[in-house]
Amino acid sequence: MSRPVILALNAGSSSLKFELFAADSDETLGHGIVECIGRDDACVRLHDGKGGNLPVPDGQPADHAAALQLTLDSLRAAFPDIRVVAVGHRVVHGGVHFDGPVIVDDEVMARIEALDPFAPLHQPHNIAGIRAAGAAFPGVPQIACFDTAFHRTQPLVNDTFALPSRFYDEGVRRYGFHGLSYDYITSELKRIAPLIAAGRVVIAHLGNGASMCAVQSGRSVASTMGFTALDGLPMGTRCGQLDPGVVLYLMEQRGMTTDQVRRLLYEDSGLLGLSGGLSNDMRTLERAGTPEAQRAIDYFVFRIQRELGAMAAAMGGIDALVFCGGIGENSRLVRARVCERTEWMGLEVDHGRNARNETIISSEMSRAHVMVVPTQEELVIARAARRLLNLPGQGG
Ligand code: ADP
């Protein structure tokens, strides 16, 4: 008999990440990524539930529909007896309307499409993923999980800019992103450390995209990302917080077009820009040891420390700092440096625990906990599908 499974999809601009879950538990059967969609070097990688490599068919997908087809061909070859009972999608923008996951129907699809102008670099790819999955699995329910939904609980002072209020009314707000990651970390804390989960937690999601969130009693009260995924911390290639006067200067005095400014802020800035074009990859910067690489790391760390203070202030204190994301989960250097000079907040790292990547890396003397919790955004999607479709199973 075929095995019912849930497929979680995360469609980016040039990549499609996917993970296959058992329909009745948190068990992952396989995961992978199609990279460089639309380019000659496009390829698919597939791993089993334990991280081992699985064979994949050749193919250079030209678009997201072709990438999904290649994904399905790979999964069907590797898991011949599966039956997809739900497809879950990461959708970057849910606007003011969506404060949780939903089953996609025509009305939901229209609302997601209407949010295109708010996230023009991401939303169209999410929509392409939903359409491609709809064509590949006619009649199979699709679930949309929004990166903004977790933050809809934020109070007005964190949700608004100091613009005339009509702009707030038309949707110019601080939405915050990385919500699936924060949702997962919050649920995982409830499981492994319920007392901490009930308190004041700052989560630092540090990957190629990076942001921080203040979570009080399990609810988001502040975050560093704003209207778009540009604000807050510097990232691999994105600038993070920037005086809007810089944009006016670039356009008025330097004559840059909106396309040029967009490319500058999204693709040429952050760690890549600060390191003089060396790399957006923290591993490369840590190895390089050049003054330019050092400058990029110094700025990254400093801005995390600044925002750590801001997030703690939004909650009137801090009971735990949790690191996640590729850098947060792996870079002992960044973690140690972020926690330098934070004794005033009651944070002290135990360098042995930090070097061993333990779950709790704070010292016995530390008043607040410092933790490393690997995030699992795709699992949040699978759990949402199980919940919305009333599928039997344990977990989340
Ligand atoms: P994305 O936001 O694209 O999902 P990830 O969460 O995978 O990105 O994070 C990618 C970042 O994590 C890169 O900057 C990479 O260099 C960094 N990273 C991964 N492993 C390590 C490591 N061992 N040490 C330092 N940085 C690491």
Side-chain angles (χ1 to χ4, degrees), residues 18 27 64 128 147 151 294 387:
F18 55 89
E27 183 192 355
H64 282 76
D147 254 330
H151 303 293
Q294 200 52 52
R387 212 168 48 242

Side-chain angles (χ1 to χ4, degrees), residues 10 17 90 178 205-210 236 238 271 279-287 300 324-334 357 375 377:
N10 180 354
K17 288 187 195 163
R90 178 181 185 180
H178 286 138
H205 178 108
L206 310 177
N208 209 18
R238 283 172 258 168
L271 296 175
S279 180
N280 64 328
D281 193 294
M282 186 55 80
R283 279 168 296 201
T284 308
L285 297 177
E286 286 186 10
R287 275 196 303 264
F300 186 66
C324 64
I327 299 172
E329 291 164 27
N330 296 296
S331 175
R332 61 193 69 166
L333 173 91
V334 168
N357 268 334
T375 196
E377 289 155 300

Side-chain angles (χ1 to χ4, degrees), residues 86-104:
V87 185
H89 300 264
R90 178 181 185 180
V91 178
V92 79
H93 219 303
V96 293
H97 187 76
F98 296 112
D99 59 3
V102 289
I103 298 174
V104 178

